[in-house]
Structure formats: structure tokens, C-alpha cells
Amino acid sequence: MLPRVLSLGVRRGRFTRRPGTLRGGFSLDWEEKLSEIKKKIQSALPGTSLLPLYDSSHLPPDHADVVIIGGGVLGLSVAYWLKKLEKQRGALRVLVVERDLTYSRASSALSLGGIHQQFSLPENIQLSLFSASFLRNINEHLAVVDAPPLDLQFNPLGYLWLASEKNAAAMENNVKMQRQEGAKVCLMSPDQLRNKFPWINTEGVALASYGMEDEGWFDPWCLLQGLRRKVQSMGVVFCQGEVTRFVSSSSHMMTKNQKEVKLKRIYEVHVKMDNSLEYQPVECSIVINAAGAWSAQVAALAGIGKGPPDTLQGTKLPVEPRKRYVYVWHCPQGPGLESPLVADTSGTYFRREGLGSNYLGGRSPTEEEEPDPGNLEVDHDFFQDKVWPHLAQRVPAFETLKVQNAWAGYYDYNTFDQNGVVGPHPLVVNMFFATGFSGHGLQQAPGVGRAVAEMIVEGRFQTINLDSFLFSRFYLEEKIQEDNII
Amino acid sequence: MWNRSTRGIHHLGGAVDPESNQKKRRTMLQYLSDYFYDVEFLRGYFFQNEMVKVHQKNRSFAYLGETYGPNNAGAFFILKQGGAVKFRDKEWIRPDKYGHFSQEFWNFSEVPVEAVDASDCAINYEGLENLHLLKELQSLSLQRCPHVDDWCLSRLYPLADSLQELSLAGCPRISERGLGCLYHLQNLRWLDISDLPSVSNPGLTQILVEEMLPNCNVVGVNLAEGLKIGPEEQPRDTDRPVPA
């Protein structure tokens, strides 16, 4: 034993000491041993899943207070305002279910991104004004620590709506109402129009309304990403999946007139994963339908519309996807840097894009020309036959242009009156709608999000009264028609 | 100056200096924020406080207009922010480094304000509404204002009748999209758009703005900036004036 100790001592001299060998421990591959020990400790610590048999991190949680179906700009806006207005931090557990996290067919990402206040309904104007002030202060509202500020690339050049003889009186009334609500809109005669914008051909134009402030266009993808980032930092859970089933409980009640009414309450949402049969039942207390162009399918899953026609049970959600094309063209002699988004009497619209004489525009087809919404293929003949003649007639410089690019997107078109559906369903008491905006959903998203969140947290609309946008108007046949839709 | 004030606990990191984020070098504060909810919340709270201070500076002074006249109310707003004001036929009134300024302008009645120098002030969209009180403003300087952005430029049109000189040099948030709003200012004779970091192509923007405002002298951009003349190539800008 003594020679062994002596020999150890000799080997362990000060000048022959190896790193990490204080008491002559395992000196060979010490790093590997260390990492193995670390892994063993981590797997034994609490916090790992109890059943390490399979990984369930891609599934949504078992319980959530609010399930938002649809992760587009409306769904994210509702999530943001819910978290902002909840009474206590962490009071509401919000889950956003989005079928396609790349947003390849989402209306929010494919939108032109315009915002204007020139509507014919006071509620629409107020929603748009609220959204404009939200977007103006977006870096205060959606501020996340250590993230770069959002650059919405807002272009404040306004909208110019042209009216023919028969629409001039309606436009004048609308502008009066818009100014009462606080929008800064001015009316222009054809002479003033020619003075201001000499590239316009004012033939057939009786009146024009021009928005001076808070109107323009911005980058919707930036808003989407900003909302997503902020909402994730506030603790909202995201899940990629498709809602396939609602499980609800019903209770039978009697109305004052002794008629029986069946009220349903959804208590479970089945979320199916992509490309597999795996699904997760999520227990929930409130469901928000913000599925955009596909809201009607989601509503049908909840049993909305299953009943004899002309009854409340049989009233379907009248939102369907409508395909709209946007074309990008280059025209070297076109309108200059100051040109607003011009909406023509024929329904054609265009705006300038960037510094290089490129223009974006399109036209809403009439009911007979509606394209098939099955896919997002672009019909270039539509531009040749239906859009270009009107463009060239209104702006003579557009007679020579070259189409560079085109894409198509869906409107969540409300076939009843082209206005949004907001608020709870009368029979399925915990399903809230935030859909059906027919092309102006993006510009009203912050306002609508706040309205739905107020309805859920407070029980009524507080900042903007959207009582006329409730679902019950479909059954009561109360149309609130919006005229200024492009 | 505005660069220095964006660091520290009072502001969100990486605000005007995105390159530091890409370098992946985290400051102690960012490291703490990643690990502790309290630090993250505190930083967010201080940032919101700064924003509230800016809003407070830009509150509406229209109520003063009823008692003292719109010109005096607008002048008070600018002086309180730290800018300088020039009434017609009077000298420039500037606040000193403590923020004090001479109060004699309250006695002026109906003397219009001719020139406003709001350089380096924290004026923003709401504050510009106070400028609408100054109906006969001829010269406005918004150099290096950190909160003036494209939205604010769309609020300048009420001054179109009188405004002749405008300077936007050095504003970090103005881009070429907002410059299109200056079309309404048809009486503008001198426009300074130098040193705008958010404008993507200064030379092309200058040309487009000159086309938009033909009666205005647009200064500030060196048109040869960014152009390189190759050894065998001719300069391509034969139709543009070659700067000295």
C-alpha cells in the first residue's frame, strides 16, 4: 500500500497535474461522463411529462377558457383585446386554433391593406376611426420587450371615391354623416378634381369624395406578425389544427309565449391535427368563430342552420368565400407619388405601389361573373376584358401598361348585407362571431376585436355599439346595407 | 441625441438600433428579462410611462385659444415643447436650457406667428393639431423630431394656404410614402428632405417629389449618392443634373 501511495504522489506532482483530476478521479472522457450525468438528472427532475411514452407538445391543452377558431387578423385581434381587458393577469386562458400557420390562403395576408372611413354606416366609420388610431400607435399597443418596433409601411394618401350622377346625392349624404362622426373627408367637383389630379378623366363623374387623414394603405402581414408576437408574449396558446366537432349540452326553456326553445352550450371542441386522425378534445367555455371565408362550415358544425327554414334554428350564417383578383402592372407615365387609392364609378380601383411606377388594382365582379372559389387561380382574361377598359377610360395614361403579377384572395362575403357579424348567437349561447366583413375586415379588426372582448368580459359593447351587427338580424330580416364596398 | 436616449431601462431595447439585435449580444437587462417576468414587466411599464409623457406633452391647447387667441395658444404649445417661435415683426422667442421663456407674447393680440422651429421636439400626431391654430404660418422646421412619422405629414394640409418653407431633415420615421402628402402644400417654395434614414431611395424620391411640387425648391439630397462610375462605363445619369 505504501509504495502505491508514494507512486501516486509522484504521479500527482504539481507539474504533472491534469485538469479536473483533483483526487485522481476518472480523468478519461470526463466531459462525456458529465453530460451523461446531466441528462440523467434532467430526466428525473419534475417538470417533464409524466408519461414519457409519446410527445404531446403539438396538441392543444386539455382545457381553455376561450377557444378562437381562426388565427387571422380578426382572431388575433380578439385574443389581444381579451388579454388586455381581462380583469386579472392570467384570468383567461386563450387558445387560438389555426389550420394553416403559413397563412397561404388567409384573407388577412392576401389583402390589399387599405383603410378608409368613407362608409355609409356610422358604426363602420367609428370602427375604422378606432382602428386608424390603433394602427397609428401600434408601437405602444403591441410593444414587446426586446423586439424591434413594427414598421407598418403606412401610406397616408387617402381614398378617392368617384360617383356618377345617380350616386351623387347618396355620396353627399354619406360624406355629411362621415364628417359628423369625425372623419376628415372633403367633397370635390369635377373641376376641382381636374385641377388637383390632372391625370384623371372626369367624364361621367359628378362628385368625388377624398379622405384627407387617417386613410391609406399598409402592410397587413406586418400587422399580423405584430399581433401574433404580442399575443404570444401575453400568454395566448397557439395550435395548428382544424376544428372538426363541437360537443354541446342543451337545455330546454320556454319563452313568454309558451314556445319551447332549445339553448345549446358548447363545452368541448375537437381539434384535429394536420394529416392524421389524431384529435384533442379541448374543454372550453367560450368559442369565437373568426374563421373568415370558412366561418359557415364552422357554424354548421355547431348546428347553426339545422332546422326548418324561416325559423331561428334554421337560419344559417350567410358568409361564403368569394374570390377576388388583384393585378400588379407597370405604367411609366402613370399618376405620380401623390395619387390616392382611386375607386371608380364602375367598381374598379387602383393605387400606386412603391417608387417604381407600379400599380395595384382590380375590380369586384358582378354577381353573374363571380368566379369559382374552389381555388386561388388567377383569371388574366378578367383583367383584359373587365378591368383594363375601365382603367384606361378613367386614367388615359393606363392605355399603355404591362401586367407584372397577379394574385387572388378570398373575401368572407356576407351575402345578406355585406357587413360583419359580431356578437353571440341567440341559440348557441357561447359561440361569438367575428366574421363576414366582406373585404373590410382588416381595417376594422382592432375595433371588432375590442368589441367582442368587451362583450365577453363586460357583457355588453362599451366603446362602439355594434348591436346592429348581431346574428339575430338574419332571422329578423333587418338589413344594414353597406354601399361603399370595393 | 435621440440615439442615446433609446437605450436603458426606460426604453425597449433594439428600438432604433436593430443592428445590435442581429449581433446576438445581449445586455444584462435583456438577459434578465428573458429569465424573470418581473424585469420584463418593469421594462414594459417604464416604456409605457415614457409614452404617456410624450402624450402629455402633446395634449390639446385649444382651450387657451378661446381666452388668449389661437396664435398665442399655438405659440405656447411650441415653447412648452422646447421649440422656438417667431411672431410677425418680432424677434425669435426661444426657451433657455432650463425650459424658461419670456412670457411677453401673451400680451400680443392678433399678431400672427410666422415661423416655428420645432427641431428636436417630441411633437407627434396629436400635437400637430395644436399647430392648426396658427393659421398664417409661413415657415415650419421639424428637424430631427423623433415622433414625426408618415401619419403626421397627412396632418399638414390645413396649413397649405400659408406654408412656404418646410424642413423635415433628419426625422427618423419619415419615409417616401408620407412625402406624397406634401402635394397638398401647393404654396411651398422650399422643402428640405435631407438625411431621412427611412427613405429607401433618396435620389429617386427627390425626383418624384420635384415632379409633384413643380414650384418648390427641393433641397437636401445628393443625386449622385449611391452611383458608382465604372472605369470603362459612362455615367448613366445624362438626363439628371450632375451635382457639383
Side-chain angles (χ1 to χ4, degrees):
Chain A
M1 201 179 76
L2 196 56
R4 208 211 226 153
V5 169
L6 282 176
S7 60
L8 276 176
V10 165
R11 236 177 288 138
R12 266 191 322 162
R14 275 180 203 273
F15 300 95
T16 60
R17 205 166 122 182
R18 271 165 297 187
T21 59
L22 198 50
R23 281 177 198 275
F26 300 99
S27 51
L28 295 168
D29 40 278
W30 174 242
E31 304 300 323
E32 205 189 288
K33 291 271 186 227
L34 199 57
S35 59
E36 259 179 59
I37 290 174
K38 266 193 196 161
K39 266 193 221 151
K40 277 194 192 157
I41 293 176
Q42 261 176 356
S43 63
L45 276 180
T48 52
S49 55
L50 286 175
L51 284 173
L53 294 173
Y54 62 90
D55 176 25
S56 66
S57 56
H58 57 287
L59 291 175
D62 286 326
H63 315 266
D65 292 316
V66 181
V67 174
I68 299 180
I69 304 173
V73 72
L74 270 172
L76 292 179
S77 172
V78 174
Y80 169 75
W81 284 107
L82 272 174
K83 280 310 215 179
K84 189 96 192 283
L85 297 175
E86 62 186 0
K87 301 290 189 184
Q88 249 189 345
R89 273 171 68 98
L92 285 175
R93 190 163 190 195
V94 182
L95 169 70
V96 173
V97 178
E98 166 60 43
R99 192 164 55 172
D100 174 14
L101 280 174
T102 61
Y103 296 101
S104 56
R105 299 194 305 160
S107 312
S108 318
L110 297 168
S111 156
L112 219 54
I115 176 168
H116 66 100
Q117 282 92 48
Q118 298 178 45
F119 291 106
S120 53
L121 267 184
E123 286 95 349
N124 275 338
I125 303 173
Q126 286 166 14
L127 279 173
S128 200
L129 279 171
F130 180 89
S131 305
S133 77
F134 181 88
L135 293 174
R136 202 185 315 130
N137 297 320
I138 196 169
N139 279 315
E140 272 177 60
H141 290 286
L142 302 187
V144 175
V145 175
D146 283 336
L150 291 169
D151 179 18
L152 269 187
Q153 308 206 343
F154 179 68
N155 204 320
L157 293 173
Y159 269 59
L160 179 70
W161 287 80
L162 304 175
S164 55
E165 280 290 338
K166 62 182 172 83
N167 300 337
M171 176 178 267
E172 219 179 308
N173 285 339
N174 285 344
V175 169
K176 205 161 29 159
M177 195 217 357
Q178 286 152 19
R179 292 173 92 154
Q180 265 175 349
E181 295 289 337
K184 310 274 195 307
V185 185
C186 72
L187 279 171
M188 294 168 81
S189 67
D191 289 321
Q192 286 171 328
L193 201 57
R194 262 194 300 273
N195 271 345
K196 192 94 184 170
F197 302 116
W199 36 264
I200 284 192
N201 167 21
T202 54
E203 183 191 325
V205 173
L207 199 57
S209 76
Y210 185 28
M212 310 286 278
E213 270 185 54
D214 280 347
E215 291 198 1
W217 54 92
F218 60 95
D219 178 17
W221 182 251
C222 176
L223 176 62
L224 204 60
Q225 293 308 311
L227 272 172
R228 203 163 133 174
R229 194 178 73 179
K230 175 67 176 174
V231 141
Q232 273 177 329
S233 85
M234 286 166 126
V236 168
V237 182
F238 269 78
C239 159
Q240 169 155 25
E242 189 177 341
V243 169
T244 44
R245 192 172 163 216
F246 290 119
V247 182
S248 42
S249 62
S250 40
S251 59
H252 293 260
M253 320 269 279
M254 301 287 257
T255 63
K256 269 199 300 219
N257 309 336
Q258 303 304 315
K259 271 212 284 257
E260 208 184 68
V261 174
K262 186 167 103 160
L263 293 175
K264 282 214 295 199
R265 204 179 177 94
I266 301 174
Y267 66 84
E268 211 173 67
V269 177
H270 285 198
V271 178
K272 181 180 96 79
M273 295 297 115
D274 229 10
N275 294 330
S276 93
L277 288 175
E278 190 184 10
Y279 71 91
Q280 165 76 14
V282 179
E283 270 187 294
C284 62
S285 79
I286 291 177
V287 173
I288 297 182
N289 185 351
W294 301 276
S295 317
Q297 293 165 11
V298 173
L301 283 176
I304 294 175
K306 287 210 182 82
D310 289 332
T311 57
L312 192 50
Q313 295 89 321
T315 324
K316 296 200 214 297
L317 180 68
V319 174
E320 60 179 40
R322 290 273 173 104
K323 191 157 84 161
R324 293 286 179 267
Y325 304 113
V326 176
Y327 303 93
V328 183
W329 64 88
H330 174 79
C331 175
Q333 304 299 328
L337 198 60
E338 75 283 356
S339 62
L341 197 153
V342 179
D344 189 29
T345 47
S346 58
T348 327
Y349 60 91
F350 72 89
R351 65 160 168 94
R352 204 192 150 106
E353 171 71 31
L355 290 172
S357 294
N358 289 322
Y359 299 86
L360 283 175
R363 179 167 180 237
S364 290
T366 55
E367 287 289 336
E368 300 83 40
E369 303 164 338
E370 278 292 342
D372 169 33
N375 57 26
L376 282 179
E377 301 289 323
V378 178
D379 181 9
H380 292 277
D381 295 325
F382 183 74
F383 183 78
Q384 290 283 123
D385 305 327
K386 302 279 171 20
V387 183
W388 197 356
H390 296 282
L391 281 175
Q393 201 252 333
R394 189 54 64 207
V395 180
F398 281 158
E399 274 162 25
T400 48
L401 58 80
K402 189 169 188 325
V403 176
Q404 309 276 22
N405 200 356
W407 71 84
Y410 290 119
Y411 272 15
D412 46 345
Y413 196 80
N414 183 345
T415 48
F416 187 71
D417 57 10
Q418 286 88 61
N419 259 320
V421 192
V422 178
H425 189 271
L427 293 181
V428 182
V429 292
N430 63 348
M431 172 172 263
F432 289 75
F433 294 103
T435 176
F437 284 91
S438 321
H440 51 271
L442 178 70
Q443 57 186 283
Q444 293 179 337
V448 169
R450 187 170 175 136
V452 175
E454 280 171 357
M455 190 57 146
I456 291 175
V457 173
E458 308 280 344
R460 56 191 182 82
F461 295 122
Q462 278 183 328
T463 32
I464 303 174
N465 186 358
L466 295 180
D467 280 333
S468 45
F469 282 39
L470 289 172
F471 184 94
S472 36
R473 75 183 196 267
F474 301 134
Y475 171 61
L476 300 170
E477 306 272 338
E478 283 162 12
K479 278 198 191 192
I480 39 164
Q481 190 72 28
E482 174 58 58
D483 302 318
N484 292 353
I485 301 273
I486 43 169
Chain B
M1 188 172 89
W2 43 267
N3 228 336
R4 195 180 65 210
S5 65
T6 54
R7 286 200 292 266
I9 197 168
H10 290 270
H11 298 266
L12 301 182
V16 193
D17 190 15
E19 292 87 50
S20 65
N21 268 352
Q22 292 162 17
K23 278 188 220 155
K24 295 201 194 296
R25 186 179 46 89
R26 294 192 297 177
T27 63
M28 180 54 124
L29 219 45
Q30 287 169 357
Y31 181 80
L32 284 177
S33 303
D34 284 341
Y35 279 85
F36 296 106
Y37 279 126
D38 309 314
V39 177
E40 186 184 2
F41 177 76
L42 215 57
R43 287 182 72 193
Y45 175 72
F46 282 132
F47 175 75
Q48 295 292 339
N49 259 6
E50 294 297 315
M51 287 290 113
V52 162
K53 279 190 210 160
V54 170
H55 282 300
Q56 178 67 4
K57 275 195 179 167
N58 284 292
R59 62 193 186 278
S60 169
F61 283 78
Y63 63 95
L64 286 176
E66 283 142 40
T67 350
Y68 297 101
N71 289 302
N72 292 344
F76 179 63
F77 164 69
I78 298 287
L79 289 167
K80 201 101 167 88
Q81 288 253 332
V85 173
K86 182 182 185 315
F87 283 86
R88 183 174 292 170
D89 305 324
K90 313 269 187 213
E91 293 296 318
W92 279 93
I93 307 179
R94 269 177 214 281
D96 59 14
K97 64 175 178 175
Y98 297 110
H100 302 143
F101 45 88
S102 96
Q103 304 279 341
E104 57 174 30
F105 67 92
W106 291 116
N107 302 327
F108 300 163
S109 63
E110 309 294 328
V111 182
V113 175
E114 266 188 349
V116 162
D117 178 12
S119 309
D120 306 302
C121 290
I123 195 169
N124 71 2
Y125 184 85
E126 278 93 35
L128 276 176
E129 198 173 356
N130 289 323
L131 272 187
H132 294 168
L133 296 165
L134 304 171
K135 293 276 185 269
E136 290 174 51
L137 190 62
Q138 286 177 7
S139 156
L140 176 61
S141 167
L142 292 169
Q143 297 187 10
R144 297 178 303 275
C145 291
H147 299 287
V148 165
D149 56 8
D150 296 326
W151 295 85
C152 299
L153 289 182
S154 71
R155 255 206 167 170
L156 289 179
Y157 67 91
L159 302 170
D161 295 326
S162 57
L163 198 65
Q164 290 175 5
E165 293 176 5
L166 177 62
S167 169
L168 299 169
C171 290
R173 295 202 197 174
I174 292 186
S175 70
E176 67 270 13
R177 297 175 284 273
L179 292 177
C181 292
L182 300 178
Y183 181 63
H184 298 291
L185 305 173
Q186 283 299 325
N187 284 328
L188 209 58
R189 296 286 166 264
W190 184 80
L191 173 64
D192 182 0
I193 48 171
S194 55
D195 205 23
L196 292 173
S198 298
V199 167
S200 50
N201 195 334
L204 190 50
T205 312
Q206 159 121 0
I207 292 174
L208 288 170
V209 173
E210 278 173 6
E211 270 179 21
M212 186 172 80
L213 293 169
N215 298 332
C216 180
N217 177 18
V218 181
V219 304
V221 178
N222 181 5
L223 285 174
E225 200 179 312
L227 290 178
K228 283 197 288 264
I229 300 177
E232 66 275 52
E233 257 187 332
Q234 307 255 330
R236 288 178 297 143
D237 50 337
T238 46
D239 48 343
R240 280 194 257 162
V242 176

